[in-house]
Amino acid sequence: STFLFKKIHKEAEDMWHTYNLLQVGDSLRASTIRKVQTESATGSVGSSRVRTTLTLSVETIDFDSQACQLRVKGTNMEENQYVKMGAYHTIELELNRKFTLAKKSWDSVVLDRIEQACDAAQKADVAAVVMQEGLANLVLVTPAMTLLRAKVEVTIPRKRRGSCTQHEKALERFYEAVMQAIIRHINFDVVKCVLVGSPGFVKDQFISYLFKEAVRQDNKLLLENRPKFMLVHSSSGHKYSLKEILSDPAVTSRLSDTKAAGEVKALEEFYKMLQHEPDRAFYGIAHVEKAAEALAVDTLLISDKLFRHQDIPTRSRYVRLVDNVRDNGGNVRMFSSLHVSGEQLTQLSGVAAILRFPIADLSEPEDESSSDED
């Protein structure tokens, strides 16, 4: 039987949820633009663009995380005056436009994703600015993804003996640009905390500049939200330093209610276990499945990337694992492959588990690609 799911994209994160919901073979119905050829009474042929509603059988799905655009290509499934049955078309899903998704079956992972997408509380409540002299990355951390919103680069000349004017002017230009990015990209109605991380004193000098300017310009938005800014150490101004900021104990306690911080904490716990009690830390699908069969999995760490697998038996295998762990009282942590922690989990094959009790006899290497049903 086919169930329908109707959704309007309100924000960028909805696109990411939809990307994870879509599978090859689903049917997608949405409004789109089609170029059609028209013939006039005199026989001259022209072309025009018309808006029409199509239902496609999904064949390829492409997600651009920076632009937050989703393109779905497939063949037309329903009669349409402009598009023949079976003809190919690409639909670009846009913000604030309705679509209807139909599937032959809705598994537990898909239903969880829908619940998450519809939960208004789970939005981008953390922003981070990682910076070093001349480079800053402003990032929004949502439960599902890390969105780079602005990158600021300014060449800072070195201090010269007897004169620092050029150096200080360039620094001021840099701080001003970062300040503008914060004002433009951070919605303080939603964001509960703004992490500012850097090596050395760059963050302190920037915050000092930011609030001096806020007082001078009488910027009430910044002044009212001053308590939300939190200074932390990071080794650089590059985006990858975000992982180290999010795993800082002071930050984790402040962000304890956000999903991203929970993922980072679970991964830290897994690595600690791997170091101190390797018989209670497994990774790789075959090992983790065996641990789940032995009812040993306390926490399952799994990447959402695995559920975008086009091979249905492979996808079903991961869904079975998630259901098995949940049914036996284990916790399931679904990692987003667009988070830094998710990228790290992918390096461990995308699936790992912290066990309730040690299992020693699986430590010999085995072929991860086989299902090892015995």
Side-chain angles (χ1 to χ4, degrees):
S1 61
T2 302
F3 299 93
L4 297 182
F5 168 61
K6 295 187 180 187
K7 179 89 174 107
I8 300 178
H9 288 122
K10 293 274 173 65
E11 51 198 79
E13 195 171 346
D14 290 340
M15 287 289 187
W16 175 246
H17 288 310
T18 304
Y19 174 51
N20 282 283
L21 287 171
L22 279 165
Q23 286 166 263
V24 172
D26 290 351
S27 81
L28 177 75
R29 183 174 174 80
S31 166
T32 182
I33 302 280
R34 178 79 174 187
K35 197 175 178 181
V36 293
Q37 285 199 330
T38 49
E39 195 174 330
S40 69
T42 57
S44 62
V45 176
S47 70
S48 62
R49 290 159 67 81
V50 293
R51 181 164 288 285
T52 183
T53 299
L54 289 181
T55 304
L56 301 185
S57 172
V58 177
E59 286 193 14
T60 57
I61 306 148
D62 178 42
F63 179 68
D64 178 343
S65 60
Q66 288 308 311
C68 270
Q69 285 182 327
L70 188 56
R71 287 181 202 86
V72 181
K73 185 181 177 185
T75 51
N76 182 31
M77 295 171 70
E78 287 182 7
E79 287 291 340
N80 182 285
Q81 67 181 106
Y82 304 112
V83 186
K84 288 178 187 166
M85 289 283 281
Y88 275 95
H89 186 80
T90 301
I91 290 179
E92 283 198 11
L93 292 178
E94 298 166 353
L95 293 178
N96 299 310
R97 183 158 292 159
K98 289 180 186 177
F99 71 88
T100 304
L101 175 64
K103 286 176 176 290
K104 290 189 174 66
S105 73
W106 295 77
D107 59 49
S108 60
V109 171
V110 166
L111 295 172
D112 278 356
R113 175 68 67 173
I114 291 172
E115 207 171 304
Q116 199 185 332
C118 298
D119 182 357
Q122 299 196 42
K123 299 301 170 195
D125 52 3
V126 180
V129 181
V130 277
M131 62 198 306
Q132 62 192 51
E133 272 200 6
L135 170 70
N137 282 287
L138 190 151
V139 174
L140 294 180
V141 184
T142 79
M145 63 207 288
T146 305
L147 286 166
L148 178 65
R149 275 289 167 251
K151 186 174 187 173
V152 178
E153 286 181 283
V154 173
T155 309
I156 312 280
R158 287 184 180 176
K159 291 180 183 175
R160 298 186 185 279
R161 194 177 296 166
S163 169
C164 299
T165 325
Q166 293 297 96
H167 174 82
E168 280 165 8
K169 275 186 179 171
L171 260 184
E172 199 157 309
R173 269 204 323 278
F174 171 58
Y175 291 155
E176 167 65 19
V178 179
M179 176 179 173
Q180 290 310 321
I182 287 174
I183 293 167
R184 192 175 306 122
H185 295 290
I186 295 180
N187 176 359
F188 285 100
D189 293 338
V190 179
V191 169
K192 296 190 184 85
C193 178
V194 183
L195 304 168
V196 182
S198 79
F201 292 103
V202 180
K203 57 185 181 300
D204 308 82
Q205 288 159 358
F206 168 67
I207 287 295
S208 161
Y209 170 88
L210 182 71
F211 289 108
K212 265 185 197 161
E213 278 300 296
V215 169
R216 191 179 68 79
Q217 296 173 18
D218 192 26
N219 185 316
K220 289 190 172 65
L221 181 74
L222 287 175
L223 295 170
E224 282 166 12
N225 287 285
R226 187 170 189 157
K228 292 183 180 178
F229 284 79
M230 181 179 180
L231 299 186
V232 281
H233 171 78
S234 78
S235 52
S236 79
H238 294 282
K239 194 183 152 189
Y240 60 76
S241 292
L242 185 64
K243 186 191 143 292
E244 129 198 24
I245 287 177
L246 287 173
S247 54
D248 181 314
V251 173
T252 4
S253 62
R254 178 147 175 191
L255 308 183
S256 54
D257 59 338
T258 76
K259 182 174 180 283
E263 286 179 1
V264 171
K265 197 168 170 231
L267 200 57
E268 293 281 309
E269 276 173 30
F270 173 79
Y271 278 120
K272 270 185 206 157
M273 196 66 84
L274 195 60
Q275 205 176 348
H276 302 297
E277 283 186 77
D279 289 345
R280 284 185 59 201
F282 281 12
Y283 61 91
I285 179 68
H287 279 174
V288 173
E289 273 177 337
K290 284 198 171 174
E293 281 162 28
L295 313 185
V297 177
D298 181 47
T299 305
L300 175 69
L301 290 66
I302 193 160
S303 167
D304 59 14
K305 198 174 188 175
L306 301 175
F307 299 97
R308 293 197 294 276
H309 209 290
Q310 292 196 4
D311 179 49
I312 290 171
T314 307
R315 183 195 156 89
S316 304
R317 184 180 178 184
Y318 291 118
V319 173
R320 264 200 316 277
L321 175 63
V322 166
D323 290 344
N324 185 353
V325 170
R326 280 195 181 129
D327 292 347
N328 293 305
N331 301 309
V332 176
R333 284 266 177 203
M334 189 76 71
F335 280 63
S336 165
S337 56
L338 280 194
H339 268 316
V340 215
S341 53
E343 288 166 15
Q344 224 183 337
L345 183 61
T346 301
Q347 290 165 8
L348 288 171
S349 81
V351 58
I354 299 167
L355 307 191
R356 295 187 173 108
F357 49 82
I359 300 182
D361 58 348
L362 293 182
S363 49
E364 73 279 352
E366 59 176 281
D367 177 13
E368 285 300 316
S369 60
S370 70
S371 56
D372 287 310
E373 296 297 337
D374 50 89

